[in-house]
Amino acid sequence: MKRIERHNYLQKLIAFKDKKLIKVITGIRRCGKSTIMEIYRDWLIAHGVMQEQIIYLNFEDYDYFELRDPRKLYSYVKPLIQQDKMTYIFFDEIQHVTDFPDIINSLNLKPTVDLYVTAFPLLLCVERGWQDERIRSIIINDRIRHFDCHNHV
């Protein structure tokens, strides 16, 4: 299947690479959030990042169903974090993880972690109680310049 290259989104992610912000890619279902992550992962590898520095989990994939439990997810990811170089963590459809703000905040505290997540925006707010002040993040989405959870509840 031919992939649509999304240059503008890629440039936004590159601009925030290695910054201690959680990069949140939002959008409606099937709009290409996962593809943007894939394009960025390919860019990282093309620019010298080793495969072992990249962790990618899609929480809609039943293979990772057990990792929707935050303790199991943390136990799985923590040993994979590189101590001497950056680890790029990609969580696709993070809203499926119970208490996801706690785990992504904890992982983002690690000095060698650069964290990227995708999520369906209304699910973030309504079902999981995402609050902007809980997570230091940047939202990557041209259609939603700033997503204010309180206006959509």
Side-chain angles (χ1 to χ4, degrees), residues 93-109:
E93 301 298 346
I94 190 68
Q95 74 273 1
H96 293 296
V97 176
T98 306
D99 298 325
F100 71 86
D102 295 332
I103 189 158
I104 61 176
N105 273 334
S106 178
L107 289 170
N108 199 48
L109 291 173

Side-chain angles (χ1 to χ4, degrees), residues 42-53:
D42 290 347
W43 182 90
L44 288 170
I45 290 169
H47 288 83
V49 173
M50 304 302 294
Q51 188 64 47
E52 61 267 13
Q53 290 176 257

Side-chain angles (χ1 to χ4, degrees), residues 83-96:
Q83 299 305 310
D84 57 346
K85 51 191 164 191
M86 194 61 76
T87 302
Y88 299 90
I89 301 176
F90 296 87
F91 290 153
D92 206 346
E93 301 298 346
I94 190 68
Q95 74 273 1
H96 293 296

Side-chain angles (χ1 to χ4, degrees), residues 30-127:
R30 310 298 306 157
C31 73
K33 299 180 298 290
S34 300
T35 301
I36 293 166
M37 274 190 169
E38 179 184 329
I39 291 167
Y40 185 58
R41 290 192 320 269
D42 290 347
W43 182 90
L44 288 170
I45 290 169
H47 288 83
V49 173
M50 304 302 294
Q51 188 64 47
E52 61 267 13
Q53 290 176 257
I54 298 173
I55 301 167
Y56 172 80
L57 297 171
N58 183 337
F59 295 106
E60 287 190 328
D61 186 336
Y62 204 76
D63 288 343
Y64 302 113
F65 188 83
E66 285 190 10
L67 296 180
R68 291 180 179 191
D69 175 293
R71 287 179 185 87
K72 289 180 181 178
L73 176 58
Y74 190 80
S75 294
Y76 176 84
V77 170
K78 190 167 187 275
L80 299 175
I81 295 172
Q82 306 286 311
Q83 299 305 310
D84 57 346
K85 51 191 164 191
M86 194 61 76
T87 302
Y88 299 90
I89 301 176
F90 296 87
F91 290 153
D92 206 346
E93 301 298 346
I94 190 68
Q95 74 273 1
H96 293 296
V97 176
T98 306
D99 298 325
F100 71 86
D102 295 332
I103 189 158
I104 61 176
N105 273 334
S106 178
L107 289 170
N108 199 48
L109 291 173
K110 309 293 184 243
T112 59
V113 166
D114 194 14
L115 189 56
Y116 301 80
V117 302
T118 70
F120 183 67
L122 287 178
L123 290 176
L124 281 176
C125 295
V126 177
E127 290 185 7

Side-chain angles (χ1 to χ4, degrees), residues 1-7 9 31-32 35-36 38-39:
M1 181 174 194
K2 185 177 179 194
R3 180 169 83 178
I4 298 171
E5 294 301 319
R6 298 170 184 255
H7 184 73
Y9 293 111
C31 73
T35 301
I36 293 166
E38 179 184 329
I39 291 167

